[in-house]
Amino acid sequence: MIGVVVSGAAGRMGQAVCEAVEAATDMELVGKADPALEVALADALGEADVVVDFTTPETAPGNVATCLEAGVHVVVGTTGFDVEALREAVEAAPGEARCFVAPNFAIGAVLLMEAAQRIAPHMPECEIVELHHDKKLDAPSGTAKRTAELIREAGGNVHEPIHSVRLPGLVAHQEVVFGGEGQTLSVRHDSIDRRSFMPGVLLAVREVAARPERFTVGLEKLL
Ligand SMILES: NC(=O)c1ccc[n+]([C@@H]2O[C@H](COP(=O)([O-])OP(=O)(O)OC[C@H]3O[C@@H](n4cnc5c(N)ncnc54)[C@H](O)[C@@H]3O)[C@@H](O)[C@H]2O)c1
């Protein structure tokens, strides 16, 4: 059994992760940390093998440091912080505990990124539109920034700015529109329920300890 602590357990994603962990036969929910529950992460780590963090851009890097200091692996879904700064911090941290970060745990979003990389060499001019619920703190989304990075690596030209729509009723959506001579090609992904992220989160919980490197970014690395 993998002992899992959820950091940000009172939040929208944290609550969904708690339910998914409780339903998984190879995991046990051994702690819930959140200021809203008056439980600090450091005080919840007693039986933890893996922490799952869905908190805020300001707190996630510090939470990762707390986990690594305690020798606990950490899966981070929080977005909006400097990923490269976190990579440096994790690689410099003492111990062996691993950190896995994914800006999007939905398989459909990962496939969208792969499709965009396939299209980019042939139709390089493109724009990204990302749409989220109005409580989201960061813009553009971590998924959009990662998609832009991957398209540029594949030879595409992502026009600035990335377009961010924030409205009640939305969950997490993204469209990439490619334009060429006399044609356009659009790829779109819609997370219409937070359960869309849970198979990816559980996969990362199962795999994080066995990662060859201390710091890994992207669900595609586990597929
Ligand atoms: N990677 C993905 O697939 C994915 C999907 C959806 C959302 N997200 C990201 O997940 C994050 C959380 O989103 P949400 O909608 O659940 O937000 P939310 O505001 O509903 O929840 C965040 C929770 O974190 C708690 N928190 C704040 N500081 C904390 C700390 N130091 N320790 C522990 N808990 C703390 C808050 O009290 C709150 O309950 C955001 O960054 C969002 O962009 C990622």
Side-chain angles (χ1 to χ4, degrees):
M1 292 291 265
I2 306 171
V4 180
V5 166
V6 177
S7 168
R12 284 174 288 263
M13 287 297 289
Q15 289 179 45
V17 174
C18 288
E19 280 175 26
V21 168
E22 281 177 326
T25 51
D26 57 343
M27 294 177 198
E28 189 179 353
L29 183 64
V30 294
K32 294 180 181 190
D34 197 306
L37 304 173
E38 299 183 356
V39 180
L41 179 58
D43 297 333
L45 293 179
E47 296 172 67
D49 298 307
V50 178
V51 166
V52 178
D53 184 279
F54 280 95
T55 58
T56 67
E58 291 73 31
T59 55
N63 288 344
V64 170
T66 301
C67 295
L68 297 186
E69 274 167 31
V72 176
H73 307 294
V74 55
V75 170
V76 183
T78 311
T79 61
F81 59 84
D82 183 340
V83 175
E84 283 314 305
L86 184 64
R87 177 190 296 280
E88 285 173 26
V90 170
E91 287 174 351
E96 291 296 317
R98 272 33 183 167
C99 177
F100 178 86
V101 179
N104 202 312
F105 280 98
I107 179 69
V110 174
L111 293 172
L112 180 151
M113 292 184 220
E114 287 192 6
Q117 283 178 288
R118 169 88 174 87
I119 295 162
H122 306 284
M123 296 179 75
E125 301 305 318
C126 65
E127 300 230 358
I128 300 177
V129 186
E130 56 94 344
L131 311 90
H132 283 82
H133 62 88
D134 58 344
K135 303 289 186 301
K136 185 171 174 63
L137 296 178
D138 54 320
S141 69
T143 304
K145 286 197 270 190
R146 177 81 176 141
T147 305
E149 195 176 277
L150 293 172
I151 290 174
R152 289 186 181 120
E153 282 172 14
N157 179 29
V158 183
H159 297 189
E160 295 285 353
I162 293 169
H163 309 283
S164 297
V165 177
R166 298 287 176 267
L167 285 172
L170 295 169
V171 179
H173 318 256
Q174 176 167 287
E175 185 162 345
V176 185
V177 185
F178 295 87
E181 282 293 312
Q183 59 184 325
T184 65
L185 174 56
S186 301
V187 279
R188 181 177 171 115
H189 175 254
D190 298 276
S191 275
I192 53 176
D193 190 297
R194 289 184 177 82
R195 283 178 299 180
S196 62
F197 303 113
M198 295 308 127
V201 171
L202 297 186
L203 177 65
V205 168
R206 292 183 182 110
E207 297 285 326
V208 62
R211 292 307 303 161
E213 281 98 34
R214 293 202 69 195
F215 189 76
T216 307
V217 180
L219 189 65
E220 66 278 8
K221 305 272 170 50
L222 306 184
L223 299 174

